[in-house]
Amino acid sequence: MGKKVDIDWSKLGFDYIKTDLRYISVWKDGKWDEGKLTEDNMLHISEASTVLHYGQSCFEGLKAYTTKEGKIQLFRPDRNSARINESCKKLLMPEIPEEKFINAVMQVVKANKEYVPPYGSGATLYIRPVMMGVGHNIGVKPAPEYIFTIFCMPVGPYFKDGLTPCNFIVSDDYDRAAPHGTGGQKVGGNYAASLQAHAEAAKKGFADCIYLDPATHTKIEEVGAANFFGITKNDEFVTPASPSILPSITKYSLLYIAEHYLNMPVYEKEVFIDELDQFKEAGACGTAAVITPIGGIQYKDNLHVFYSETEVGPITRKLYDTLYGIQLGDVKAPEGWIYEVK
């Protein structure tokens, strides 16, 4: 394994760190250029870019891991490629060919390999692909040009306490997405719309808020910027179904792991907020946090506690250990899930 930069990996949070190189490619006159690596971490764009005025942008998040043997590997980047293209289609932006996307991710990781945290450090390399509308345009219409860029940085746990239960509060006053809107895509506007609700939840002492479905406010949709799952008293893995939920790669990986590794029945279905009693464990899942156990959910005047506010439930821990083990190369992965960076 090559020499690493001098970083105290154990003290990393989820913060921006400038690494050596990033990738940038431009779409213009109906086609993509070849793309290149650059040291410049500043983007130079028109003041009339649609990304600035009309929110024509989307992004992805994935990670690179170091195995015990010192190999560097990616976890399901083909799914990130597919998802960013769904977001691009929704916002009338050109799609990024899968080969171009994965090759660009590989280039960025290889160019910054000394920033990939070592095995056993608890840290990972977070990779952020971004697509945005640029060029001179002031009308409300798709941009004449697009930038696709990828940068990366080493990160620690998204929630500073790692695999420790957090409490969440149901948002009565805010919706994350509109019915038939962009909730199912990873677009910038979804996150801008969540800032106020998150700030108010944090002010009340909660990790984040739970969003209910915008049409009826009766069903759980997302947990902040993550997907929800629950373990029923019958040991079933349940996660909400809705067109407004971002299709989390972590969630779909957990659905597979629960069924094929832990032999649990799995269901993607409506989860009603007034039926929390069916769950003995619950969690939030996503690329950044992997799994955050949910200690309790505050709904109106009641704090519903699942397994414990301080201890991780046994099935949640098994799910985490299996998924993280696959990502680190310690557990055999399903075919096609792991891409080695050579």
Side-chain angles (χ1 to χ4, degrees):
M1 187 166 57
K3 189 172 183 296
K4 299 294 183 184
V5 291
D6 185 17
I7 287 176
D8 186 345
W9 308 106
S10 67
K11 292 220 169 106
L12 284 172
F14 200 82
D15 301 298
Y16 177 79
I17 292 172
K18 182 179 184 286
T19 50
D20 294 341
L21 291 161
R22 66 274 313 126
Y23 173 91
I24 189 163
S25 184
V26 175
W27 185 94
K28 191 176 180 181
D29 300 326
K31 63 182 186 297
W32 286 106
D33 68 8
E34 283 187 13
K36 64 180 183 182
L37 293 172
T38 175
E39 292 181 4
D40 188 1
N41 70 331
M42 297 293 169
L43 294 172
H44 306 271
I45 64 174
S46 167
E47 62 190 353
S49 294
T50 57
V51 63
L52 300 176
H53 302 267
Y54 309 126
Q56 198 185 20
S57 70
C58 61
F59 67 99
E60 277 299 318
L62 64 159
K63 288 177 175 178
Y65 308 82
T66 303
T67 69
K68 200 179 285 182
E69 298 75 35
K71 294 178 185 172
I72 296 173
Q73 58 187 35
L74 303 168
F75 180 72
R76 309 191 78 181
D78 56 317
R79 303 315 307 148
N80 294 95
S81 171
R83 191 169 66 178
I84 201 169
N85 282 331
E86 286 302 313
S87 299
C88 287
K89 280 192 263 189
K90 185 74 170 178
L91 298 187
L92 300 184
M93 301 197 289
E95 292 182 46
I96 305 154
E98 182 182 283
E99 187 181 357
K100 182 181 180 73
F101 180 94
I102 294 177
N103 179 261
V105 171
M106 294 275 192
Q107 284 187 55
V108 170
V109 175
K110 276 173 76 173
N112 297 286
K113 62 181 183 295
E114 61 271 28
Y115 289 92
V116 183
Y119 177 85
S121 65
T124 50
L125 187 80
Y126 184 79
I127 305 153
R128 172 57 60 89
V130 187
M131 172 80 166
M132 68 192 80
V134 296
H136 306 302
N137 177 65
I138 204 63
V140 183
K141 60 186 179 185
E145 299 173 24
Y146 294 88
I147 287 175
F148 168 50
T149 185
I150 304 176
F151 61 97
C152 67
M153 75 220 76
V155 298
Y158 186 74
F159 290 107
K160 66 180 187 321
D161 296 325
L163 194 69
T164 302
C166 294
N167 287 350
F168 295 83
I169 185 170
V170 172
S171 172
D172 280 329
D173 300 323
Y174 304 101
D175 290 328
R176 176 184 159 272
H180 313 296
T182 58
Q185 288 76 43
K186 203 167 176 67
V187 303
N190 294 350
Y191 296 82
S194 75
L195 296 175
Q196 189 176 16
H198 170 77
E200 291 188 15
K203 206 177 193 178
K204 292 173 183 171
F206 294 91
D208 210 331
C209 55
I210 304 265
Y211 292 102
L212 302 180
D213 71 292
T216 70
H217 275 214
T218 60
K219 294 169 275 192
I220 290 179
E221 291 221 323
E222 292 214 356
V223 185
N227 278 198
F228 174 88
F229 71 85
I231 309 299
T232 69
K233 289 170 181 172
N234 298 323
D235 289 346
E236 301 160 330
F237 182 99
V238 176
T239 187
S242 162
S244 297
I245 296 173
L246 182 73
S248 163
I249 293 155
T250 305
K251 178 185 82 173
Y252 284 109
S253 301
L254 289 173
L255 274 162
Y256 185 92
I257 287 166
E259 183 175 10
H260 297 277
Y261 285 66
L262 306 188
N263 300 312
M264 297 171 66
V266 299
Y267 300 97
E268 199 175 0
K269 63 181 184 179
E270 294 176 333
V271 176
F272 289 89
I273 188 62
D274 60 2
E275 294 179 2
L276 294 179
D277 284 349
Q278 68 182 300
F279 300 115
K280 61 180 180 178
E281 297 179 34
C285 60
T287 297
V290 188
I291 290 177
T292 299
I294 298 176
I297 293 177
Q298 179 81 35
Y299 179 50
K300 298 188 172 165
D301 296 327
N302 179 52
L303 177 68
H304 179 89
V305 176
F306 296 97
Y307 183 78
S308 163
E309 289 184 78
T310 55
E311 301 292 322
V312 182
I315 294 176
T316 300
R317 184 171 288 284
K318 266 190 214 167
L319 288 165
Y320 176 88
D321 288 345
T322 307
L323 175 59
Y324 199 44
I326 288 169
Q327 292 169 335
L328 290 175
D330 294 336
V331 174
K332 186 171 170 52
E335 191 175 344
W337 280 24
I338 298 299
Y339 288 60
E340 188 180 345
V341 180
K342 294 181 178 173

